[in-house]
C-alpha cells in the first residue's frame, strides 16, 4: 500500500491538525486532545495555535466552536496518523449524527509535508481547508514560515480577523510545552 511509504526510513514528517469543539467543556476537550496526541510515541506536538471562538458553519443551529491548530512531527504515515486522530475523537466522546453538527471534538488532518493524495479515506491537503477561515486563522499561528501555502494562508487569515465578518475572535492563548522543549526563563 502506497501510504506505508511515508515517512521514509523513520524520518519525521511535519503535519498540521485542526481541532474544534462546541459541546461540553470545549477548552478542556481541546487540551485533552492535545495531550493525547502529544503522548503518542510517534507524534510530538511542536506548535499550538491560540484558541479561536468561531460561529458555526453549515449547520448553524448550534453553539459556537472553539477552533485551534497544531503543528506536529511524526513518523506515522498519513493514513496511520488520520486513523489515530479518529481513535482520539472516539475516546473523547465524538458522535457523528448531523453533518457539520455539534461535536465534543473534531480532529482533521490538514497537511502532511508536501504529500498530495486523494483516496477514499484521506485527501491531502484537506479538500476544504482553503475555504474555511475557522481553519486558516489558527493554522496561520502554527504554519512554518517557509511552507508553500504560507502567503495564501496569511492573507486569508488576516482578512478574516480584520473585517470581522467571518465570526472569528481570539478566545484565549495557551502556553503549551511538550516534554521535549526546554523551559524558557
Amino acid at each position: 500500500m502506497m501510504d506505508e511509504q511515508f515517512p521514509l526510513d523513520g524520518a519525521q514528517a511535519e503535519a498540521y491538525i485542526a481541532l474544534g469543539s462546541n459541546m461540553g467543556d470545549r477548552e478542556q476537550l481541546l487540551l485533552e486532545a492535545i495531550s493525547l496526541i502529544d503522548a503518542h510515541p510517534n507524534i510530538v506536538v511542536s506548535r499550538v495555535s491560540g484558541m479561536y471562538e468561531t460561529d458555526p458553519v453549515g449547520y448553524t443551529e448550534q453553539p459556537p466552536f472553539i477552533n485551534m491548530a497544531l503543528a506536529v512531527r511524526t513518523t506515522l504515515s498519513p493514513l496511520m496518523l488520520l486513523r489515530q486522530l479518529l481513535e482520539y475523537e472516539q475516546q473523547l466522546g465524538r458522535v457523528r449524527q448531523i453533518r457539520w453538527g455539534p461535536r465534543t471534538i473534531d480532529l482533521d488532518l490538514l497537511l502532511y509535508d508536501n504529500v498530495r493524495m486523494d483516496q477514499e479515506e484521506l485527501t491531502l491537503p484537506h479538500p476544504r481547508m482553503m475555504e474555511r477561515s475557522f481553519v486558516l486563522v489558527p493554522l496561520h499561528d502554527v504554519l512554518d514560515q517557509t511552507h508553500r501555502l504560507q502567503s495564501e494562508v496569511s492573507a486569508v487569515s488576516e482578512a478574516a480577523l480584520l473585517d470581522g465578518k467571518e465570526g472569528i475572535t481570539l478566545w484565549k492563548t495557551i502556553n503549551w510545552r511538550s516534554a521535549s522543549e526546554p523551559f524558557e526563563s
Side-chain angles (χ1 to χ4, degrees), residues 1-181:
M1 181 176 194
M2 181 190 99
D3 183 63
E4 302 311 316
Q5 302 297 313
F6 299 101
L8 297 173
D9 301 325
Q12 286 197 346
E14 184 162 62
Y16 295 91
I17 300 166
L19 299 83
S21 176
N22 76 336
M23 291 177 65
D25 186 339
R26 302 173 301 170
E27 179 182 358
Q28 187 58 39
L29 284 160
L30 292 168
L31 293 174
E32 285 179 40
I34 296 168
S35 293
L36 284 170
I37 292 166
D38 195 56
H40 191 285
N42 300 103
I43 307 170
V44 175
V45 174
S46 51
R47 293 183 300 283
V48 176
S49 75
M51 293 182 171
Y52 293 85
E53 190 166 61
T54 64
D55 292 340
V57 173
Y59 177 73
T60 58
E61 298 301 314
Q62 60 181 320
F65 281 84
I66 296 178
N67 291 99
M68 55 188 311
L70 305 177
V72 301
R73 304 289 304 163
T74 185
T75 55
L76 296 177
S77 67
L79 272 176
M80 295 308 291
L81 179 56
L82 173 70
R83 290 172 186 155
Q84 189 61 60
L85 295 175
L86 293 172
E87 189 175 304
Y88 291 149
E89 284 184 348
Q90 284 191 314
Q91 285 180 37
L92 294 170
R94 171 79 188 260
V95 177
R96 295 175 187 271
Q97 293 175 321
I98 302 170
R99 184 178 171 114
W100 299 316
R103 61 204 70 168
T104 55
I105 195 75
D106 188 24
L107 303 173
D108 287 332
L109 181 54
L110 302 174
L111 300 163
Y112 183 102
D113 274 349
N114 289 316
V115 172
R116 291 187 177 279
M117 62 189 295
D118 190 357
Q119 297 180 7
E120 187 175 335
E121 192 174 353
L122 176 62
T123 300
L124 287 171
H126 190 287
R128 292 170 302 284
M129 73 176 209
M130 297 309 289
E131 305 161 10
R132 296 177 170 170
S133 297
F134 66 86
V135 169
L136 297 178
V137 169
L139 179 61
H140 181 255
D141 287 358
V142 297
L143 192 63
D144 188 279
Q145 294 299 309
T146 62
H147 195 281
R148 61 184 172 75
L149 293 175
Q150 176 60 35
S151 61
E152 194 175 351
V153 168
S154 181
V156 172
S157 174
E158 290 170 17
L161 289 173
L162 191 63
D163 71 17
K165 294 177 191 164
E166 300 286 344
I168 300 172
T169 54
L170 180 61
W171 188 71
K172 187 175 195 175
T173 57
I174 62 170
N175 186 10
W176 173 265
R177 287 189 181 95
S178 72
S180 63
E181 289 181 50

